[in-house]
Amino acid sequence: MLALESLSTPLFSPDDSGEILQSLQDDGLSWLDGRLTAGSQAAEVKRNRQLDPSLDASQRIIELVRDQICQNPLIKSWALIRSVHSLLVSRSDVGDGYGWHVDNPFSKAGRRDLSFTLFLSDLDSYAGGSLEIQSSQDASSFRLPQGHVLVYPSSALHRVAPVTNGSRFVCVGWIESYVQSVEDRLLLFNLDAAARGLLAKHGRSGEVDLLFQVYSNALRRLSV
């Protein structure tokens, strides 16, 4: 965990990420203006390209990433996933970036509680392009290794700094959670982690069963 409200974890191995990246470097692929999927205000500061979602290659990558997000135990516990939706593959070349903005709260596919960025490019293959997320005190900057994903609240003000060398490839998308509140999700995540840790360390007990009961009932009460 990199920050209180953000979570990073490996999602694909470097080899698997490399295969995805190689498929994106096909000269025959169609890339669309990224402003087509931005709101009116965000479009003013967005400069990138997105893989045509109608392509078979795009659908394969989106389905692969969605499956990995939904199956990852850490993300499942942290995000309490109801659905993963609106995925797209983005390419930023030299001079491209995405100024400060906040994600729309809804898309046609669902509510946007959490945003994620899967980094597909090797860190040595491009410069710049950091994902910066604003907090109440300052901004945190992220350039994660190839195959790692960062999940963070969609309500956070964030930007992608301009790329200064090479090309930055990512897959981004959104999660609708069973629990809307950031604070409630963190509470449940810590409770789940504590119960699982005690189970792994000491085995089954009445106290561990009680913790899991509290977790389940708290989740039931806080879900929307």
Side-chain angles (χ1 to χ4, degrees):
M1 184 173 293
L2 297 178
L4 181 62
E5 296 179 358
S6 301
L7 180 80
S8 73
T9 187
L11 195 66
F12 290 97
S13 69
D15 287 343
D16 290 339
S17 302
E19 288 184 12
I20 296 173
L21 181 62
Q22 187 174 8
S23 71
L24 294 175
Q25 294 170 329
D26 185 340
D27 291 336
L29 294 178
S30 174
W31 294 86
L32 309 177
D33 189 332
R35 289 175 292 184
L36 294 172
T37 58
S40 58
Q41 294 185 0
E44 297 179 3
V45 295
K46 187 176 185 180
R47 297 292 182 273
N48 65 7
R49 289 185 288 165
Q50 293 165 184
L51 188 61
D52 186 340
S54 67
L55 296 177
D56 289 342
S58 182
Q59 291 301 313
R60 285 196 298 270
I61 293 170
I62 286 171
E63 290 175 8
L64 184 62
V65 174
R66 182 188 288 116
D67 287 346
Q68 289 299 309
I69 291 284
C70 290
Q71 294 170 15
N72 185 279
L74 184 60
I75 297 176
K76 286 170 62 179
S77 175
W78 193 77
L80 299 168
I81 299 169
R82 183 193 293 271
S83 67
V84 178
H85 61 84
S86 308
L87 284 77
L88 54 89
V89 179
S90 170
R91 172 178 184 160
S92 301
D93 297 315
V94 174
D96 290 342
Y98 197 167
W100 289 107
H101 66 284
V102 63
D103 292 338
N104 290 333
F106 295 95
S107 74
K108 293 180 181 179
R111 193 177 65 236
R112 293 173 168 179
D113 296 318
L114 293 158
S115 306
F116 65 84
T117 297
L118 170 65
F119 291 77
L120 294 170
S121 296
D122 186 277
L123 285 175
D124 295 332
S125 68
Y126 71 102
S130 298
L131 173 59
E132 300 178 5
I133 303 174
Q134 186 71 48
S135 69
S136 58
Q137 298 293 326
D138 53 20
S140 299
S141 180
F142 303 96
R143 287 183 83 245
L144 299 187
Q146 187 178 41
H148 286 230
V149 66
L150 181 73
V151 189
Y152 57 96
S154 299
S155 56
L157 195 66
H158 59 284
R159 75 165 189 151
V160 177
V163 173
T164 58
N165 186 53
S167 296
R168 175 188 186 265
F169 291 88
V170 298
C171 180
V172 302
W174 288 267
I175 296 172
E176 180 174 342
S177 176
Y178 282 107
V179 176
Q180 240 178 310
S181 164
V182 174
E183 292 81 5
D184 289 345
R185 285 197 303 269
L186 287 171
L187 182 152
L188 289 164
F189 175 71
N190 288 331
L191 185 57
D192 186 41
R196 291 180 184 276
L198 288 172
L199 179 64
K201 187 173 183 179
H202 301 293
R204 185 78 176 269
S205 69
E207 290 80 7
V208 170
D209 288 345
L210 182 59
L211 277 176
F212 279 118
Q213 181 189 23
V214 171
Y215 170 80
S216 297
N217 288 332
L219 177 57
R220 183 177 291 110
R221 181 165 184 167
L222 296 173
S223 295
V224 294

